[in-house]
Amino acid sequence: MNSHRAVCNRLLWMQDSFGLTPDECVLQKTPFSFDVSVWEFFWPLMTGARLVLARPGGHRDSHYLAELIAAQQISTLHFVPSMLRVFLQEPRLEERCGSVTRVICSGEALTFDIQQRFFARFSAAHLYNMYGPTEAAIDVTAWECYRDTADPVVPIGRPIANTKIYILDEHMHPAPLEVPGELYIGGVAVGCGYHNRPRLTAERFLPDPFTREAGARIYRTGDLACWRTDGHIEYLGRTDFQVKVHGFRIEPGEIEATVQQHPTVRAAAVVARPDSTGDTRLVAYVVPNTDAVDSLPTTDEPVQEWGSIYDLYYRQDAPTADPLFNTAGWISSYTGQQMPEAEIRTWLHDTLVPVQAQQPRRVYEIGCGTGMLLFALAGGCSEYWASDPAGGAIAYVRQHLAQAQLAPEQVRLLVRPADDFSDIPQGYFDTLIINSVVHYFPTADYLLHVLRQAFKALAPGGMVLVGDVRNMHLLRAFHTSVQLFQAAPDLPIHQLRHRVQTQLLNEEQLTIDPAFFAALHHTDPQIARVEIRLKRSPYPTEHTRFRYNALLYKAADPATGPAVDTGVHWRHWQEDELTIDGLRAWLTQEQPRAAGVTDIFNARVLTDAIAVNLLLRPPHTPTTTAELRRQISGTNQRGIDPDRLRDMGESLGYTVQVGWSPNDAACFDVLFTRPDSTPPPLPIADPQRANRSGSGRAMPTIRSNRY
Ligand code: AMP
């Protein structure tokens, strides 16, 4: 609780010292839960200067701030030093921000380095370092920075009007000049205490031993400081563990205590430390409690969220030309717009190919949504069971059964989450579909649980299609690709990197390493074969570039199952310097029964993978988004679209499998087999590499990049 008197004192001192005039303009950008916002609002209002409000959140976006300063001719503004450091990386500040005459820093230590960078970019503006805790009405000391100084320390100056600063030792005696002590604040600025926290108030707000004034108190800051011989104060750090991150006061101990409440954590330590870009981050180190991890109950929360997706998308009153092909909810992450129908039709066709190859008669589809697959498949089936956690989606499908000429007894509709297999017959279905919903599952364990049940429901020889799985190894590439697409050309690279990082941190959907499915194959004897398929489509959508389908086959009767041909002749795209023409010539002349090519640069994601690498390696990064775009443009010419090899192989009479390279997520592998042979599935995970036969050469691992 601060007094009106203290705030007025602070504002009047400011006007007395700086003399803001009506022809000046102050930027208000600090969120109003921070005390700095008080002077940003009231100082211009008191003096008749112009007040410009930044958009909410704008204080974090230095590109936006520079534009706003230029457009509004801002003269005075505030920065916490860490944000000033970021802002100073903005291009062309000299031309864009010539109106700025006064920059006020407070909230964290202002370093010599930031001061120097400021003066290098702003030739005429003044820079101030103010210090003070919220408990004492905003700021209690002030310092004007010198342009030409070799002093490596930026002091916090002297007390402002009607304010006293004491630097005391542990016996509450004033510390001698240049000797560190704890900083205490006295005078009109001292607040009234913490609301409803009498004990804490008594600990921090003490009777002032240096005055006879009745009721006067001093505030104990916890800051270490010393008086310099020139009469100014130097800030030295904290007496406790409190840290400042982007101007926020943080007690790492509070975070440690919260992290430790989690059952899987045995111990935790939290520190504030610079990341690779020099920005301060909180990092929590934990010692896991391994016993608890195994016994953790699975949460059903995100599944409920999945249920509400229907409300978000499908129930929109968007008219659909064909209700049996309801494309509501197909929103591009790049444009935020509905995806074109042709792209979705191609996607649907590609998804249906392996299902139709199975000649399905009894299907169970988990997560049928508005029935795009159901309406395409159910007509040819004797039974089509479909479930979805969204009652609205199931009602939609039921409503349109007649239009799709489906009899109600042919289609059984269930409202339930994916893991509810009650009343689902075992060993019954020839095809089970879990398409484009796995990313809504809460954990990989949940997926595993669903797949185990799905396998029980499957008849021998049956197949589970897990469609549209987001590739974990390409998650960063995906977010980079979207952010790069959306960014303005002059967006500084550090902000692009920050946006990607934020997307990664906020990512809530499940992404799966293709090796997860390979591991299933090794641990569950019921699973006879696992295939990972890259999508076939001429459209470079997020579905075709960053997602894949997994096909899991249940063992048929072993006596009747065909033996798999294992004699694959393997070649390496990069080391063997292959080209499409060279490969075609080889397949035509040699006519191998089974030929595989590994580590072919994937034109669909290569550019994004290169962008990821450039963004992650600071010394070589370009400085703006436009420069990054220039650097990566054309790099995908080194890549091959998987469909080109698929088309080429098929034109020569081969059956073609295309999957991700286990070595490098920006590459793919391809396997050509004669239709009369039974090909092995393409290896999915590294350990299988060693088993490859053919060229007789062990496959070297190029790199194990994830993007
Ligand atoms: P707040 O209440 O959020 O303003 O935080 C107050 C704390 O921020 C102080 O106790 C100091 O630890 C730190 N602080 C504020 N201004 C400065 C400054 N100019 N230099 C160093 N530390 C500062």
Side-chain angles (χ1 to χ4, degrees):
M1 295 178 289
N2 277 301
S3 70
H4 191 200
R5 200 163 79 109
V7 173
C8 284
N9 179 68
R10 166 67 182 70
L11 291 168
L12 291 171
W13 162 81
M14 198 168 200
Q15 179 58 6
D16 223 28
S17 312
F18 299 113
L20 188 68
T21 58
D23 53 352
E24 289 191 68
C25 181
V26 176
L27 177 62
Q28 199 295 309
K29 69 177 179 64
T30 306
F32 61 73
S33 51
F34 269 95
D35 55 4
V36 169
S37 66
V38 174
W39 68 251
E40 286 180 340
F41 280 118
F42 290 101
W43 192 25
L45 294 178
M46 277 164 53
T47 53
R50 200 151 53 90
L51 168 64
V52 170
L53 301 175
R55 65 163 158 76
H59 62 290
R60 286 189 229 106
D61 186 341
S62 48
H63 173 68
Y64 161 78
L65 290 177
E67 295 296 301
L68 186 66
I69 292 168
Q72 296 291 341
Q73 293 293 293
I74 306 284
S75 64
T76 296
L77 75 162
H78 173 271
F79 278 109
V80 287
S82 50
M83 187 59 204
L84 179 59
R85 190 172 55 79
V86 174
F87 180 73
L88 290 173
Q89 294 170 25
E90 190 65 25
R92 298 184 295 103
L93 280 183
E94 296 76 0
E95 326 154 18
R96 294 152 90 195
C97 300
S99 59
V100 173
T101 55
R102 199 184 282 126
V103 169
I104 296 172
C105 275
S106 71
E108 313 169 320
L110 175 61
T111 59
F112 177 71
D113 161 59
I114 299 175
Q115 170 187 278
Q116 297 310 95
R117 285 191 209 187
F118 174 85
F119 285 132
R121 309 290 311 267
F122 287 84
S123 55
H126 297 267
L127 177 67
Y128 300 91
N129 183 21
M130 296 195 188
Y131 159 89
T134 309
E135 288 86 341
I138 320 176
D139 304 301
V140 289
T141 72
W143 167 260
E144 174 166 1
C145 302
Y146 289 120
R147 191 167 283 277
D148 300 308
T149 174
D151 186 349
V153 174
V154 185
I156 56 173
R158 275 197 232 258
I160 68 163
N162 301 310
T163 303
K164 290 182 279 185
I165 298 291
Y166 304 107
I167 297 177
L168 307 177
D169 65 17
E170 66 270 36
H171 307 295
M172 298 292 277
H173 295 150
L177 287 183
E178 296 194 320
V179 174
E182 185 167 352
L183 194 151
Y184 290 74
I185 301 164
V188 67
V190 179
C192 315
Y194 298 107
H195 183 54
N196 285 343
R197 306 279 302 271
R199 190 179 298 172
L200 188 59
T201 301
E203 270 172 30
R204 310 301 296 193
F205 293 83
L206 312 172
D208 186 343
F210 305 103
T211 177
R212 297 214 181 97
E213 210 183 303
R217 288 172 315 147
I218 50 173
Y219 170 69
R220 178 177 192 181
T221 61
D223 288 321
L224 264 184
C226 70
W227 285 105
R228 303 189 350 163
T229 48
D230 60 8
H232 295 287
I233 303 167
E234 193 172 314
Y235 173 85
L236 298 169
R238 293 286 305 173
T239 60
D240 55 16
F241 295 107
Q242 187 184 93
V243 289
K244 279 259 168 156
V245 178
H246 302 159
F248 284 93
R249 262 157 78 160
I250 310 256
E251 302 284 352
E254 288 178 4
I255 303 172
E256 286 165 5
T258 306
V259 172
Q260 273 166 14
Q261 279 169 12
H262 198 272
T264 60
V265 174
R266 198 185 301 281
V270 171
V271 293
R273 45 169 286 186
D275 68 8
S276 58
T277 66
D279 198 9
T280 306
R281 298 274 162 182
L282 285 168
V283 180
Y285 296 87
V286 299
V287 180
N289 181 1
T290 32
D291 307 342
V293 176
D294 297 337
S295 59
L296 209 61
T298 52
T299 164
D300 63 354
E301 213 178 286
V303 180
Q304 285 162 4
E305 226 169 72
W306 168 26
S308 61
I309 298 285
Y310 174 82
D311 298 326
L312 262 179
Y313 296 121
Y314 302 131
R315 224 195 277 158
Q316 293 160 353
D317 294 328
T320 42
D322 176 2
L324 305 184
F325 184 74
N326 185 338
T327 58
W330 283 79
I331 306 293
S332 156
S333 301
Y334 291 83
T335 60
Q337 305 288 318
Q338 175 89 20
M339 290 171 63
E341 188 182 318
E343 291 180 6
I344 308 171
R345 287 211 184 268
T346 310
W347 168 90
L348 177 64
H349 174 78
D350 181 52
T351 310
L352 292 177
V353 167
V355 179
Q356 273 155 347
Q358 195 64 12
Q359 295 172 334
R361 298 290 298 150
R362 286 180 189 162
V363 176
Y364 178 29
E365 183 182 358
I366 293 177
C368 64
T370 46
M372 204 183 264
L373 266 64
L374 180 151
F375 292 128
L377 285 168
C381 299
S382 56
E383 279 178 57
Y384 198 105
W385 297 45
S387 72
D388 200 283
I394 293 294
Y396 178 93
V397 172
R398 183 168 290 122
Q399 205 187 332
H400 292 94
L401 285 180
Q403 188 177 348
Q405 296 176 338
L406 293 167
E409 60 281 3
Q410 200 178 355
V411 179
R412 203 171 297 196
L413 297 169
L414 308 159
V415 179
R416 56 173 59 184
D419 62 338
D420 182 355
F421 276 76
S422 50
D423 318 322
I424 301 291
Q426 299 209 347
Y428 191 69
F429 299 98
D430 51 51
T431 309
L432 219 134
I433 301 173
I434 310 174
N435 189 52
S436 216
V437 291
V438 161
H439 46 279
Y440 299 126
F441 286 8
T443 60
D445 276 343
Y446 183 92
L447 171 61
L448 192 62
H449 176 68
V450 171
L451 288 175
R452 292 228 163 99
Q453 309 258 64
F455 258 81
K456 286 191 192 139
L458 214 55
M463 176 195 79
V464 181
L465 163 73
V466 190
D468 246 2
V469 184
R470 298 183 65 190
N471 188 345
M472 188 182 90
H473 296 317
L474 289 171
L475 187 60
R476 187 182 284 274
F478 166 68
H479 285 304
T480 304
S481 164
V482 172
Q483 293 306 319
L484 195 55
F485 175 84
Q486 293 175 347
D490 56 351
L491 182 79
I493 225 63
H494 66 271
Q495 286 203 16
L496 180 69
R497 190 188 299 125
H498 184 73
R499 287 182 188 179
V500 172
Q501 200 63 30
T502 308
Q503 294 301 318
L504 281 168
L505 287 173
N506 293 338
E507 177 64 66
E508 286 189 335
Q509 294 192 347
L510 189 65
T511 60
I512 300 281
D513 179 347
F516 170 90
F517 294 103
L520 277 184
H521 175 49
H522 294 300
T523 52
D524 189 339
Q526 290 190 85
I527 303 179
R529 180 184 174 97
V530 175
E531 276 180 37
I532 299 291
R533 291 204 180 168
L534 264 64
K535 308 224 172 211
R536 185 170 202 161
S537 164
Y539 301 106
T541 68
E542 56 202 274
H543 294 78
T544 56
R545 297 163 62 208
F546 303 104
R547 299 186 183 196
Y548 59 94
N549 292 345
L551 306 175
L552 316 176
Y553 293 89
K554 185 165 181 166
D557 182 354
T560 58
V564 165
D565 279 344
T566 48
V568 180
H569 191 125
W570 287 104
R571 302 186 70 184
H572 191 277
W573 184 263
Q574 296 159 49
E575 289 179 5
D576 296 340
E577 295 176 7
L578 291 176
T579 59
I580 295 189
D581 288 342
L583 192 57
R584 184 187 292 111
W586 178 57
L587 291 175
T588 315
Q589 284 154 21
E590 307 269 324
Q591 305 238 337
R593 265 178 76 75
V597 183
T598 61
D599 298 308
I600 307 157
F601 289 122
N602 184 350
R604 295 179 182 176
V605 295
L606 189 61
T607 307
D608 304 307
I610 292 170
V612 166
N613 279 343
L614 286 172
L615 279 180
L616 287 179
R617 314 246 153 87
H620 310 296
T621 50
T623 57
T624 63
T625 305
E627 245 175 82
L628 176 66
R629 287 202 183 112
R630 254 194 313 279
Q631 281 197 15
I632 60 177
S633 70
T635 49
N636 68 335
Q637 284 162 10
R638 286 170 57 210
I640 304 287
D641 191 285
D643 286 351
R644 287 182 67 194
L645 292 187
R646 211 167 343 216
D647 294 344
M648 187 266 283
E650 285 174 2
S651 73
L652 297 177
Y654 279 100
T655 302
V656 187
Q657 288 181 57
V658 181
W660 305 108
S661 156
N663 286 333
D664 187 332
C667 292
F668 67 95
D669 291 354
V670 61
L671 183 59
F672 304 94
T673 40
R674 288 266 158 231
D676 58 351
S677 74
T678 309
L682 259 177
I684 301 164
D686 270 326
Q688 290 174 312
R689 281 267 151 176
N691 299 335
R692 291 186 175 190
S693 57
S695 68
R697 220 147 38 95
M699 282 297 150
T701 299
I702 324 164
R703 39 184 186 260
S704 53
N705 271 350
R706 293 174 173 198
Y707 302 97

